[in-house]
Structures are given as structure tokens and as C-alpha cells.
Amino acid sequence: MKKFFVFSVILGLLLTFAFAADSSSFGVYPDKVVIGTFQALSGPYAIIGQGMLKGMKAYFNWINDQGGINGRKIDLLVYDDQLNPALTVTDVKRMVEQDHVFAVVGGLGTPGCLAVMGYLNDNGVPFVYQGSGAPQLSNPPKEYVFPVQPNYDLEGHLIARFLVQNQHKSKIAVMYMNNDIGQQELDGIQKQLADFNMKPYMTIAYNPTSADFSSDIIKLMSANPDSLVIAGLITDTIRIVTQIKQYGMNIPIVTIYPNADPAFIQLGGKAVEGVILTGWVPIPTKDNPDFTTKFDQYLKIYQKSYPNEIPSSYAAAGFIAAEVFSHALELAGPNPTRDGIVNALDTFDNWNGILAQGITFTPTDREGKTSMYFMKIENGTFVPISGWITLK
Amino acid sequence: MKKYLYFIPFVLVPLPFAGYPFLLSIFVLIGIYTIAAIGMDVLTTWAGQISIGNAAFFAVGAYTSAILVVNFHVPFLIAFLISGLFALIIGIVVGLPALRVSGFYLAVVTMAFGIAVQQIIGVFQITGGYNGIRNIPVPSFWIFKASPLYQYYIVLTIIFLIFIVLSRISFSKSGLALFAMRDSEIAARSFGINLLKYKLAAFGSSAALTGLAGSLYASAIGFISPSQFDLTLSLDLLAMVIVGGAGSVMGVMIGAAFFVGLPFLLSGYNISITIIQGAVLILILLFLPKGLLQIFKIKDLFKKKVT
Amino acid sequence: MVFQQIIAGIITGSLYAIVALGLVIAYKVTGVMNFAYGYMGMISAYIFFTCFSMVGMNYILSFFIAIAFGSFVGYAVERGLLRPVRNISPASMVIITLGLLLVLEGVALQIWGNNYQQIPNLLNGLPLILRFNGGIIVIPQQNLLILGVVTAVIIALILYLNLTFQGKAMRAVAQNEEIAKLMGINSSLMMSISWIISGSIGALAALLVAPQTFVYPDMMLNLQIMGFTAAVLGGFESIPGSIIGGISIGIIENLVGTYISTNLKTTFSLAIIVAILIVKPEGLLGSAKARRV
């Protein structure tokens, strides 16, 4: 009995030390601003989370080297949620209630972002940039939530339009991950096809944890569509593409922007050659020399933190997240408040940073970015095959 | 009466931490897993059946409660009880094959059930598919706010109630029958014990307890999706019973604290948590067959020795 | 399409079958149901990855190093961890292997990290295409390889167990250890051999499935679950049973996936298997044992 009492007290003390935190609120200190992020640093999507975190760190390191923003350095707390929403929920609670972060910046993953969106908004914590294109983030607009990436519904529209108008396809098959990402892409594709008086030739939903797609691919083969859209994430998309190639099928494949990263080529090897992807993070080409200068600046900043490393497009996403937040913090003035950040972000009007291009927020329209382009994998590199496309 | 005194430290524990809501919510989670692990304990230690599919009952409870509260605006207390009841019914149905198969076969049948439930949840609309159910409200009664401290005492009260009920059962005729069945089915049968009834009762009550825990989990975390109820959870529940000490609420609580609390404690360090968990599991089986509880030399609290 | 689906099912099923086979061999001789089985194989897949992709050895050499490592892991686990505690209850034994599973997962994380790693297919050429009146069947080369390797392993194993003295001795130990000992059979050696075989089969399964799943700590989870189910369906004590069990699960899965629901294919397959077990609790080819008080 006594021992048990001693045990509980010791356990309590241990936990107290582990979680001892300064209770001064809101994360703004005389010399620093504490913000938080959640990233998949391990697990199936670690490749995305690690890249994105590097991009964020590279930008914040650069800012802090210059003395921070309005005299305050940015202190980034990172939690690894493995893109598992149950972990995201506890991690974000911990950030807000225990670490008292000023804002959450650049959280990764549709399930996690949607799971904590309401909580952050209710608690008045600015949630700037989500590594997700879920339309629920921007629609309806929420006071404290600022999505930047284009949403999947919009992307579905653009892909369908591209396949019909540009590639003249009529038998479009869709394989989609049976969760928010896949369902919203499918939704967008169906709506756009309906405008052309068409519908998907066939649709196959797959469980996010599947690895063997042989029965789905056999179905696909016997239906014989003329093009295939895969609305899934990097690992499963590569599995599908590889298995399609193993079955000797030769079909044009389009997949979504979360896959537009060198890691896709690295992991997929020869099998992903010829796959078409959408992109929204600009890449420098000959016809936009202005952007090439900015891109060089980005490389320089990135390589200051990670020498000789070529940043992934996930790193570019993280970099943009950091840029957007830092600019808003600057605009919020010498005594930033959470509401101050919100007001500052709502003044963004087609704002251009280094990589961040054309970002707009208003209190009633929180879709940060609405334009994309198409690219194709040729000889192991991404080659743009269209200019910027918007729906309007 | 003395055994109830063991609960006093738990009433006092959260007080110094009132200002650390996150820490309290970890305590709440430990309590919730304790309830689920007691459910596992009832099945394995009391009835001698192995299950590696109890995550399914956890899911059934969590989803029943969340759907009732979110879609039908049922008060939490009622949703809580219904989720226990629903899990009970499903537990009895799952227990039926257990009357035919046993040992490893039963383990595989329960595993199959666990995986099937996870997949079924992922397919249906009402459960939110693989997206899950978001923004499950935290229950609050009258003037009590939905704070973690309040949740802590709710969970502690429920554990206390379960403790009382289990103590009663273990000294009753049914308890003796269960122990007899565990020790030798055939011998038990020869004493005229109705195995069918007791096996189903063990499965049902195990499922009900796990379902109740699931219901609490859904409202404490506020978000549920199929991936939370995987095989790992089933195995963890089994491991909690072994690590802490089978056959005792305190032991199970230690096991739950070990599996739920440790990852949070060590999250800042670059150590893979599973190495520690696995090694402890093996070491305990080899050297402390009664679990960590043995270190504290606490006697079995309610388990009557059947000699 | 039905034939095509059945063939794809046989190939997936043959992977389930060898995992079941590996589990059953170890179980028959030592009585341990090894929950860490797939994870032992996973370590070998990482060994292959290290040799082939990081060190740059050739494919075949890396392959054999990985298989050898798998048999070593099998030996070490049985000899070092399980042999000293042979007499604890079966439930505790299951939990020890569960502890081992957690340790192996953690070790892989600690050494190789959690990124998905790629192992290339050995054969990448055009698939085999069979045409017959009214139909066409396509079999990818990698699948032919899987089928060939699995068949070879099964045949070799059956020949070994039935024709060699050692194999017969092993079966004797499996049937009754005490009597086998009295007959002068070195039962300790037989136990080690059974785990060496089991470990190398596990490594082989991991290497065959790795190009499809990628290499990561949980890569074998699904295969292990289905391997267990196949073993149970087959009766857990019967080698032909586990082969039939594995292949029938593979076929059931693909047919359910085609004609009922892709998303519920595992659910339906498992339901069918549970139904079979309820009707025949000892599995398809298992034998009901008389139990004593």
C-alpha cells in the first residue's frame, strides 16, 4: 500500500518534469515566437513529412540568421504523428495546451488536418498552411484556418478537363483511395465530366492499406479504358503503376500533385516513366526568367541548411508554408497577437514571396492557391507539358 | 474494505497536475485502456480463452457511441450504456465459434474478427468510411465542464465500479465456475458446470467492458477512424494484462500506464519505443510471471485462489 | 477474367502457403506458434536491401546472404530465446513471440529508419501471355518467378521430410518427442533444424513479396496474418493442409474482390474461413485429438 503510494507520487513527479512548460500564454516571448507543426517523420509517408520539415527549417533558419522577425526568432516545435490522425489529435492538444504555441504552421496530411481543424479554430489558434488539399479546409471559410494548397476537388476538375480537351480521351478510368483524398478527386472528376455529358468509364476504390492490386488490375485490363487517373498517395500509386506495367498494360496514367516529387521517380524507377502529374509548386523553365532568379535564391537558402542537397517538392511546400507565416508575422507588427496574424493574412492579395506565388486570402475566401500545371516524367525528370491552368 | 483504500492515491494523483490539462488527458487515456485491458483480463485470466481481436469490441463501442452522440444527439450517458450493450451482444455472437474451436484456432478466429470489423467500418457511410468520425463532443453534465480533470474522475469512478462488481463475482459461484473452466474444461464439465453459459458470459462481459472503454475513448480523443483499431491495439491489450499482472485491476492499470504513458514520456528521445516494450514483455514473462505488480508485492486483490 | 483472377489468386495464395508452411514446420516440431515470424523475414529483406542497394553486391549473392541470415535468425530465436523456456504455457509462449515481434520492429526502425525502401523485381520483362479460344491470360514474370520458387521449395521440403532419414527423424520428434528420444533421435538437433528451415522460408517469403510491398518494418504484417489463417484453415499440423489452405485463401480473396466487393475482400474471405472452422474445428486436414483430464 505504502509502496504503491510512493510509486504513484514518483510517477507523477516524473511526468511533471517531462511536461514542465512555461505557462505564459500564446507563445510570444521577448526574443522568440514558438510555433508548432505536425509531420509524418516516420511511417509510410515519412518521405513527405521529412521533406516538408526540411523546407520549413531551411526558411526559418535563414530568417533567424537575419535576427528573426521584428526582433523575435522563430522556434519551431515538431511532433511526429506518422500521418496517423489519432496521434495528430493528441499532438496538437499537447502543442496548444502544454507547449502554448502561438500558431500551428504547415501540418501534414488530410486526415490529421481535418481532425484538428475544428479544435484549432475553436481555440483561436491560427492554422496556417496544411499539407492537404481537402476542400473542407477552405469551404466553408474558418476564421483561423488558412489553406494554401489547391484543393482536390479543383484538381479533379482540371485533370478531367485536361484528359478530355487536351488528350482527347473518352474512356477514363479512375482508381481512387477510399478516403477523403480519393473521394474528393473522384467527385471533382465526375462533376467536370458531367459538364461534358460524360462519366468515368469505370471507378475502382481501394483500401488505403492495400499492397496487392492484381484483382483490380485484371478488372481494369478486361474493361480496357483509354486512360487512367490514380488518386492516391506516393506508395500505393507506385504499387499500382508498377503492377500495371508488370501486367504489360500500356495506358496513359495521370496522378495527383501530392506525388509530384523526385521521390516518386526514385521509388518507382522505370515503371513510372511517362506518368503525367499535376503540380502547383512552380518549377523554373526558360519562359519565366523572373522566377528562375527567385528559384536560385530558394536553392541558396535551402542549401545553407542542407548543403549540396536538391530540395524535394515537399521541401518546397514546407518552404512556402514558412514563407506565408513569416510574412504574416511581419505584417502583424511588433506585438503580434493571434488575431493580428489573421488580419495580416487576410490582406494577402496575389502575394509573391520567394517560392510562394500568387497567394490570396480574404475573410470570405480562403483558397490560397487555385492554379496548377501538368508535367510528365521523361527520362527520370519532370517535364512541364502545360502552362498555368485555372478553372475560371 | 481495505482493498478499496487502494483507490485513494488515484483520487489525489491529479490534483497537483490541475494546471496541466494535457498530462491529465494522458491519465484519462491510461484509465480508458485500463478498462479495456480489464475486459481482456476477464477473458484470458478468468476464462482461459485467448483473444487477439478485442480491438474490434473497442471499435464497436467507440463507433456506437460516436454515431449516437454525433448523428442522433443522444446524451452521452445513454450512448455509453448502449455501446456497452451492443458490444456485449456482438461479444456473445463472436463467442459462439469459441464453443467449437479453442486454443490457437480461437486466437486466429478472434484475429479474423478483429480485421474484418476494421475493414467493415472502413466501407460504410454511417461510420464515415476510412475518414472516420470527427469532432465528437466531450460529454458534460449540468454544471460540470468537459475538462480533463472531470474526465479523469469519471473514468476513475467507472474503474472503481468495475472493480467492485468483479470482486463480487470472483467470490461467487459463477467466479468459481469460471476458474474451474479455465483450469480444466473437462473436469469442470464433470462437476456439472455449464461450459456453454460461462464461456459466452466471459466473452460477453469481456466485449462489454472493452466496448465501454471504446465509448469513453471516442469522446476523450474526439476523433475515430478504422486505423486506430488495428491488430496492434488487440495485441497491446493482451500485452498490458501480461506486463502489469494478470488477474488484478491494479496490475492491469500498471500495464496500461506502461503502454500508454511510456511513449509520451519518451517521445522526445530518439529511442524506438517498441524495443523497450518488447524487451520488457519478454523479460517479464521470463522473470516476473505475475507482471510488474510483483515488484510492489501487492497480493492478488480479488482473485480467489482455487485450490 | 475468372481464370485470370484465379491464377492471380493462386500466386498470392502461394505466398500465403509458404508462410503457413514455415509456421507449421516450427510448430510441429517445437510446439511454438510464432507470432514474430513475418518480422523475422522482414529483417532478412533489410539485409538484402543493405547488401544489394547500399553495399552494391550482386542480386543472387545478396539473395543467398539474406536467406542464410533468415535461417540464422530462426536458429538463434529457437535456441537462445525459446528453448530455455520450453515448458511455459502456450499462451505465454505466444506472448514471448509477440514481444520478439515488437523488438524486431524496433530494431529495424533503429537501424534502417522508417522510410520505404525499394527492392527491384528480378524479372521485369514482358508478361507471359496465354491466348485460348475466347480468352487471354496474362501472367507477369515476377509472378511466374514466385510460383516457380514456391513450388520448388514445397517439393524439396516434402521430399526431404519423406525420403531422408533426417526428415523422418524430424517427423518422429513432431509426433512424440519422448519416444523419438528413446529411439536415439537427437531431438534437440531436430528442433534447431526445424527452425532453421522455418527461418529461411520466412526470409524467402519476405524477399518474394518485397518488390510489391517495399521494405519497411511492417511489410510482412498482412502476409503473416494470411499465413496464420492459411495454416489454421489447413489444420496447423499438416503440411499439405497449409498449402491447400494458402492457395484457397488466395483464390477466395480474388474472387470475392471481383464479384462481391474489393473493399471487403478480406472480410468475406475471413468469414468463409471462420465458417469452415465452425463446421470443421480441426481445420481442413487437421486431426481431432482426444483430450484427457
Side-chain angles (χ1 to χ4, degrees):
Chain A
M1 177 73 199
K2 224 184 205 167
K3 269 190 181 166
F4 206 88
F5 196 83
V6 173
F7 166 74
S8 32
V9 171
I10 291 173
L11 184 84
L13 285 175
L14 270 174
L15 290 168
T16 322
F17 282 120
F19 295 111
D22 199 312
S23 62
S24 64
S25 58
F26 300 139
V28 178
Y29 304 88
D31 57 334
K32 63 175 182 181
V33 175
V34 179
I35 59 171
T37 189
F38 51 92
Q39 299 288 341
L41 301 180
S42 57
Y45 304 110
I47 213 162
I48 305 178
Q50 286 170 351
M52 195 160 164
L53 183 62
K54 279 183 176 174
M56 288 178 77
K57 279 191 168 164
Y59 188 82
F60 288 136
N61 288 345
W62 180 66
I63 288 282
N64 289 346
D65 286 348
Q66 297 171 350
I69 287 171
N70 298 327
R72 289 187 186 86
K73 299 207 169 180
I74 293 175
D75 187 357
L76 178 67
L77 284 179
V78 190
Y79 285 100
D80 173 16
D81 68 349
Q82 302 176 9
L83 223 144
N84 171 352
L87 290 177
T88 319
V89 172
T90 41
D91 285 345
V92 166
K93 276 192 178 167
R94 187 174 185 172
M95 279 184 226
V96 172
E97 293 169 16
Q98 209 70 39
D99 305 326
H100 300 288
V101 297
F102 179 64
V104 175
V105 179
L108 172 68
T110 298
C113 287
L114 291 177
V116 300
M117 163 182 88
Y119 170 81
L120 288 172
N121 197 48
D122 291 346
N123 284 278
V125 182
F127 186 18
V128 183
Y129 193 109
Q130 294 80 38
S132 159
Q136 295 100 310
L137 291 166
S138 53
N139 184 27
K142 279 154 279 292
E143 193 177 359
Y144 292 95
V145 181
F146 293 85
V148 174
Q149 294 185 190
N151 73 49
Y152 301 132
D153 182 73
L154 169 81
E155 183 177 29
H157 276 90
L158 294 179
I159 289 175
R161 215 167 64 173
F162 174 79
L163 281 173
V164 174
Q165 292 185 336
N166 193 307
Q167 308 277 304
H168 311 293
K169 303 290 180 198
S170 54
K171 299 198 292 189
I172 300 168
V174 182
M175 264 184 96
Y176 65 99
M177 202 183 217
N178 199 358
N179 64 8
D180 281 305
I181 299 175
Q183 287 159 1
Q184 286 153 6
E185 293 279 354
L186 177 69
D187 207 37
I189 292 172
Q190 279 173 332
K191 281 190 272 182
Q192 181 64 58
L193 288 179
D195 285 351
F196 297 134
N197 281 323
M198 291 167 68
K199 53 184 189 181
Y201 185 62
M202 74 184 296
T203 60
I204 298 173
Y206 67 86
N207 177 336
T209 55
S210 305
D212 176 15
F213 294 98
S214 59
S215 76
D216 296 330
I217 289 169
I218 292 166
K219 273 196 234 170
L220 208 60
M221 270 170 53
S222 38
N224 200 22
D226 65 5
S227 54
L228 171 67
V229 180
I230 304 174
L233 292 181
I234 182 159
T235 39
D236 24 272
T237 307
I238 293 174
R239 280 176 187 148
I240 296 171
V241 175
T242 315
Q243 289 174 37
I244 283 178
K245 293 284 154 76
Q246 278 179 13
Y247 272 92
M249 258 182 105
N250 205 354
I251 181 172
I253 295 171
V254 181
T255 182
I256 58 179
Y257 73 77
N259 296 329
D261 184 85
F264 187 79
I265 299 172
Q266 188 202 324
L267 214 56
K270 275 188 210 135
V272 298
E273 197 61 27
V275 171
I276 296 172
L277 301 101
T278 54
W280 70 274
V281 178
I283 47 179
T285 47
K286 282 177 216 121
D287 46 318
N288 55 351
D290 290 356
F291 183 69
T292 312
T293 337
K294 286 194 165 179
F295 195 83
D296 286 345
Q297 190 190 356
Y298 157 62
L299 279 184
K300 230 174 262 162
I301 294 171
Y302 185 84
Q303 288 173 343
K304 216 171 162 190
S305 291
Y306 304 99
N308 302 323
E309 219 178 276
I310 302 295
S312 67
S313 57
Y314 306 126
F319 192 90
I320 293 173
E323 271 191 274
V324 171
F325 174 76
S326 304
H327 187 60
L329 187 63
E330 202 179 342
L331 292 180
N335 295 310
T337 59
R338 286 170 169 173
D339 287 331
I341 286 285
V342 169
N343 294 334
L345 281 161
D346 276 333
T347 64
F348 277 43
D349 182 12
N350 216 1
W351 176 72
N352 292 332
I354 299 170
L355 266 193
Q357 299 284 315
I359 296 185
T360 305
F361 293 115
T362 69
T364 51
D365 183 2
R366 291 284 172 79
E367 285 183 32
K369 179 95 183 163
T370 52
S371 54
M372 307 174 86
Y373 60 92
F374 285 84
M375 56 190 152
K376 191 173 190 175
I377 300 174
E378 280 173 11
N379 301 319
T381 52
F382 294 108
V383 180
I385 54 171
S386 84
W388 288 100
I389 300 174
T390 53
L391 205 54
K392 283 133 207 167
Chain B
M1 229 18 242
K2 191 181 158 230
K3 61 190 178 188
Y4 299 132
L5 293 177
Y6 282 97
F7 275 89
I8 293 177
F10 293 103
V11 177
L12 303 174
V13 155
L15 296 178
F17 307 115
Y20 298 89
F22 176 73
L23 195 55
L24 286 175
S25 47
I26 300 296
F27 288 161
V28 171
L29 276 183
I30 293 175
I32 291 171
Y33 280 102
T34 301
I35 298 173
I38 293 173
M40 181 64 94
D41 198 23
V42 165
L43 195 61
T44 49
T45 320
W46 290 40
Q49 312 281 318
I50 303 179
S51 163
I52 44 179
N54 266 28
F57 301 121
F58 202 71
V60 166
Y63 272 94
T64 311
S65 162
I67 290 170
L68 288 175
V69 170
V70 173
N71 297 7
F72 300 100
H73 307 286
V74 174
F76 176 75
L77 188 64
I78 295 171
F80 174 70
L81 294 173
I82 293 178
S83 60
L85 189 69
F86 192 48
L88 174 88
I89 295 167
I90 295 195
I92 289 173
V93 173
V94 175
L96 286 172
L99 304 174
R100 297 271 297 157
V101 297
S102 59
F104 293 154
Y105 292 84
L106 179 60
V108 170
V109 169
T110 54
M111 180 178 82
F113 170 69
I115 291 161
V117 165
Q118 201 191 348
Q119 210 174 43
I120 291 168
I121 290 170
V123 170
F124 286 104
Q125 283 290 318
I126 184 138
T127 54
Y130 290 102
N131 301 330
I133 299 176
R134 304 184 180 105
N135 300 326
I136 302 162
V138 182
S140 48
F141 297 110
W142 299 299
I143 50 168
F144 298 108
K145 285 220 329 256
S147 72
L149 189 66
Y150 155 82
Q151 287 178 35
Y152 177 90
Y153 284 115
I154 294 278
V155 171
L156 188 66
T157 312
I158 293 168
I159 296 177
F160 187 63
L161 292 176
I162 292 170
F163 178 76
I164 292 174
V165 172
L166 291 187
S167 310
R168 288 276 160 86
I169 293 177
S170 70
F171 288 106
S172 71
K173 205 180 126 211
S174 315
L176 289 174
L178 273 173
F179 294 138
M181 180 176 83
R182 174 196 65 194
D183 295 337
S184 166
E185 288 199 6
I186 295 170
R189 194 181 290 146
S190 67
F191 283 113
I193 294 172
N194 183 349
L195 284 182
L196 187 112
K197 189 173 111 190
Y198 284 106
K199 261 190 186 171
L200 287 184
F203 260 95
S205 43
S206 168
L209 286 172
T210 316
L212 291 176
S215 163
L216 292 169
Y217 175 84
S219 61
I221 293 278
F223 169 77
I224 50 174
S225 68
S227 65
Q228 280 151 275
F229 308 100
D230 55 4
L231 185 62
T232 316
L233 175 61
S234 297
L235 296 176
D236 279 354
L237 289 176
L238 189 59
M240 281 175 201
V241 173
I242 306 294
V243 165
S248 140
V249 169
M250 292 299 165
V252 167
M253 201 182 276
I254 294 174
F258 182 77
F259 271 82
V260 180
L262 198 64
F264 286 102
L265 210 57
L266 294 177
S267 70
Y269 304 92
N270 193 17
I271 314 168
S272 170
I273 192 79
T274 57
I275 295 187
I276 299 172
Q277 287 175 337
V280 168
L281 199 56
I282 293 172
L283 292 176
I284 281 178
L285 273 165
L286 298 185
F287 302 109
L288 293 172
K290 285 186 182 157
L292 284 177
L293 196 65
Q294 221 171 337
I295 299 177
F296 304 108
K297 293 209 175 108
I298 294 177
K299 279 176 291 175
D300 286 359
L301 292 175
F302 53 73
K303 209 180 96 188
K304 194 174 173 185
K305 292 261 165 14
V306 183
T307 42
Chain C
M1 189 159 86
V2 187
F3 286 116
Q4 177 84 67
Q5 291 288 12
I6 289 175
I7 286 175
I10 290 174
I11 287 156
T12 319
S14 67
L15 285 172
Y16 299 162
I18 53 163
V19 172
L21 204 61
L23 284 166
V24 166
I25 287 176
Y27 176 75
K28 271 176 82 108
V29 181
T30 59
V32 177
M33 180 161 161
N34 182 5
F35 262 90
Y37 190 54
Y39 286 73
M40 287 161 59
M42 171 273 292
I43 299 282
S44 292
Y46 268 113
I47 296 288
F48 177 89
F49 167 77
T50 309
C51 292
F52 181 73
S53 304
M54 293 168 76
V55 180
M57 289 187 208
N58 98 13
Y59 199 104
I60 304 294
L61 181 64
S62 313
F63 190 87
F64 283 106
I65 290 178
I67 300 283
F69 189 82
S71 54
F72 167 73
V73 172
Y75 173 79
V77 165
E78 196 272 331
R79 206 57 207 238
L81 181 65
L82 302 176
R83 185 75 65 86
V85 291
R86 279 204 72 192
N87 298 321
I88 61 173
S89 74
S92 305
M93 205 59 133
V94 167
I95 291 159
I96 286 194
T97 61
L98 173 62
L100 180 65
L101 179 157
L102 292 172
V103 171
L104 290 174
E105 188 184 351
V107 165
L109 273 172
Q110 212 73 21
I111 300 178
W112 290 283
N114 206 344
N115 274 348
Y116 278 40
Q117 307 292 358
Q118 191 215 8
I119 287 186
N121 280 321
L122 186 54
L123 304 174
N124 260 324
L126 286 173
L128 177 74
I129 298 177
L130 303 172
R131 285 170 204 279
F132 55 95
N133 47 345
I136 175 169
I137 287 179
V138 182
I139 309 174
Q141 287 193 8
Q142 177 77 14
N143 288 3
L144 285 176
L145 177 80
I146 290 176
L147 203 59
V149 171
V150 170
T151 316
V153 166
I154 289 172
I155 291 173
L157 202 65
I158 289 176
L159 291 180
Y160 168 77
L161 288 176
N162 289 297
L163 297 181
T164 66
F165 175 76
Q166 220 177 38
K168 286 176 187 166
M170 196 180 295
R171 282 163 51 214
V173 175
Q175 271 179 5
N176 191 323
E177 197 189 330
E178 288 308 310
I179 293 175
K181 266 189 190 157
L182 290 175
M183 313 253 301
I185 292 171
N186 183 348
S187 70
S188 155
L189 177 69
M190 293 306 140
M191 289 183 189
S192 293
I193 292 179
S194 73
W195 274 72
I196 288 172
I197 295 176
S198 171
S200 47
I201 292 180
L204 180 71
L207 292 178
L208 288 176
V209 80
Q212 187 186 82
T213 57
F214 303 122
V215 180
Y216 65 100
D218 281 334
M219 61 179 279
M220 292 291 280
L221 186 62
N222 185 48
L223 202 53
Q224 174 170 320
I225 290 171
M226 293 327 258
F228 265 112
T229 318
V232 164
L233 183 62
F236 225 100
E237 307 215 337
S238 149
I239 285 174
S242 51
I243 297 164
I244 295 171
I247 291 179
S248 30
I249 292 175
I251 296 174
I252 292 173
E253 261 198 335
N254 266 33
L255 292 181
V256 170
T258 316
Y259 297 106
I260 303 180
S261 155
T262 312
N263 280 301
L264 284 175
K265 73 176 181 188
T266 316
T267 303
F268 275 103
S269 320
L270 291 174
I272 291 170
I273 289 149
V274 169
I276 294 174
L277 282 181
I278 291 170
V279 178
K280 207 166 178 312
E282 65 281 355
L284 288 176
L285 295 183
S287 51
K289 270 190 185 166
R291 291 186 206 131
R292 280 172 299 155
V293 180

